[in-house]
């Protein structure tokens, strides 16, 4: 696959940048939600320098994940939701290959690309071009994080129906523009794709609400409750994050209960369970 010479990526987060206007350091990584390398040295790379293997995996009927092996970035899984009107890519790989593009095309005509937040921008302008210049929907509040502007950029805020019955909602929290995408599974049950806005925990039953996942910075209790209530406005049985985590049963109730637990701990309600040292 021949890629344009003016595209580079941050070697740490994998987000694309315009090679003609590179900052001294990747702003996304310099921010407290991400991280620069331990030595503090910014490194750039070109997509052509890597031969990533991208596997397209069916998660359920009508929903697939793109999993990259040995690539740059943080290893996110893009999701491709297929409905009657076409397909939507939610979050974007930090890699692209001709084989992966053809595999995604085979799932159905892709009508929209929508990253949940700036960490998931990946190679979005290249994927847009490869899939036929499909629109890339970016929350207006997060547009300042773009290091390269897709040719078919669409800014949005609040809620946005990107395809019939596929709705993006800006819930904030992790980033001001952090979003979830709601659709319907083949069985008619609601499916919520949450990126890092709401992150499934390893137990498969609870979720987390964080300002920074790698740096362990939590959101406040009120914000966690606000995000959960915004998500709960949709009916959904299953929830998928931007890595391999998922809640496959009664996910809406799990989100609300997890937010209540988060808020209780953040408020100090359970400080008696942390030990007696320093307590009055």
């Amino acid at each position: 696959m021949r890629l344009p010479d003016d595209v580079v990526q941050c070697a740490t987060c994998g987000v694309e940048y315009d090679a003609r206007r590179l900052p001294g350091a990747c702003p996304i990584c310099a921010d407290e939600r991400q991280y620069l390398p331990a030595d503090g040295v910014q490194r750039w790379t070109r997509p052509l320098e890597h031969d990533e293997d991208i596997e397209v995996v069916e998660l359920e009927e009508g929903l697939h994940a793109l999993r990259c092996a040995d690539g740059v970035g943080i290893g996110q899984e893009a999701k491709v939701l297929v409905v009657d009107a076409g397909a939507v890519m939610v979050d974007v790989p930090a890699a692209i290959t001709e084989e992966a593009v053809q595999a995604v095309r085979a799932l159905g005509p892709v009508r929209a690309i929508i990253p949940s937040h700036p960490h998931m921008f990946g190679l979005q302008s290249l994927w847009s071009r490869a899939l036929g210049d499909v629109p890339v929907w970016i929350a207006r509040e997060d547009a300042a994080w773009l290091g390269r502007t897709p040719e078919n950029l669409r800014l949005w805020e609040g809620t946005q129906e990107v395809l019939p019955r596929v709705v993006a909602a800006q819930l904030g929290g992790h980033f001001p523009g952090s979003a979830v995408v709601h659709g319907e599974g083949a069985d008619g049950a609601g499916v919520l794709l949450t990126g890092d806005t709401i992150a499934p925990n390893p137990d498969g039953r609870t979720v987390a609400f964080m300002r920074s996942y790698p740096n362990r910075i939590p959101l406040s209790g009120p914000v966690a409750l606000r995000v959960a209530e915004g998500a709960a406005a949709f009916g959904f049985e299953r929830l998928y994050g931007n890595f391999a985590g998922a809640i496959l049963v009664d996910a809406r109730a799990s989100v609300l209960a997890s937010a209540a637990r988060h808020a209780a701990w953040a408020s100090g309600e359970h400080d008696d369970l942390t030990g007696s040292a320093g307590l009055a």
Side-chain angles (χ1 to χ4, degrees):
M1 167 177 277
R2 180 172 177 79
L3 300 178
D5 295 332
D6 61 348
V7 179
V8 299
Q9 293 173 275
C10 171
T12 301
C13 71
V15 169
E16 65 181 13
Y17 282 84
D18 190 327
R20 299 163 297 187
R21 294 186 292 274
L22 281 180
C26 169
I28 289 174
C29 289
D31 179 73
E32 69 177 2
R33 283 162 287 202
Q34 183 59 12
Y35 51 86
L36 291 167
D39 61 9
V41 177
Q42 173 66 50
R43 294 175 177 86
W44 304 101
T45 186
R46 293 183 182 273
L48 285 174
E49 294 175 4
H50 302 273
D51 186 21
E52 296 90 347
D53 179 29
I54 305 176
E55 183 182 13
V56 180
V57 179
E58 185 179 57
L59 301 176
E60 61 175 77
E61 185 177 353
L63 181 66
H64 292 73
L66 275 65
R67 294 177 178 165
C68 302
D70 302 322
V72 300
I74 58 179
Q76 69 262 29
E77 288 188 359
K79 303 296 190 294
V80 179
L81 178 65
V82 183
V83 297
D84 290 343
V88 177
M89 178 181 284
V90 181
D91 295 331
V92 186
I96 187 169
T97 65
E98 184 62 41
E99 293 77 11
V101 169
Q102 294 308 318
V104 170
R105 283 183 175 273
L107 299 176
V110 178
R111 305 298 190 192
I113 294 172
I114 180 163
S116 59
H117 66 290
H119 293 153
M120 299 295 108
F121 285 172
L123 292 175
Q124 59 190 5
S125 69
L126 300 187
W127 274 97
S128 171
R129 182 181 301 177
L131 293 170
D133 293 323
V134 301
V136 179
W137 293 88
I138 302 292
R140 188 178 301 277
E141 285 197 77
D142 289 344
W145 295 97
L146 286 167
R148 179 178 174 83
T149 303
E151 293 178 6
N152 197 355
L153 174 65
R154 308 282 181 89
L155 298 179
W156 68 283
E157 56 191 25
T159 60
Q160 178 67 50
E161 188 174 55
V162 295
L163 275 183
R165 302 178 72 180
V166 178
V167 178
Q170 178 186 344
L171 302 184
H174 182 51
F175 272 78
S178 281
V180 299
V181 175
H182 181 267
E184 205 171 80
D187 61 354
V191 174
L192 197 68
L193 307 178
T194 60
D196 273 353
T197 308
I198 302 169
N201 289 327
D203 62 9
R205 298 185 301 276
T206 63
V207 299
F209 308 84
M210 301 289 282
R211 175 167 174 81
S212 170
Y213 291 89
N215 299 325
R216 312 297 197 272
I217 306 172
L219 294 172
S220 72
V223 171
L225 291 169
R226 185 194 76 205
V227 170
E229 289 163 4
F234 298 94
F236 57 97
E237 174 69 10
R238 299 181 292 276
L239 177 155
Y240 295 87
N242 55 346
F243 292 91
I247 308 294
L248 299 179
V249 177
D250 208 8
R252 182 178 179 275
S254 296
V255 167
L256 291 170
S258 296
R261 180 178 72 170
H262 179 117
W265 274 97
S267 72
E269 181 178 333
H270 300 307
D271 282 358
D272 60 306
L273 301 178
T274 65
S276 60
L279 293 180

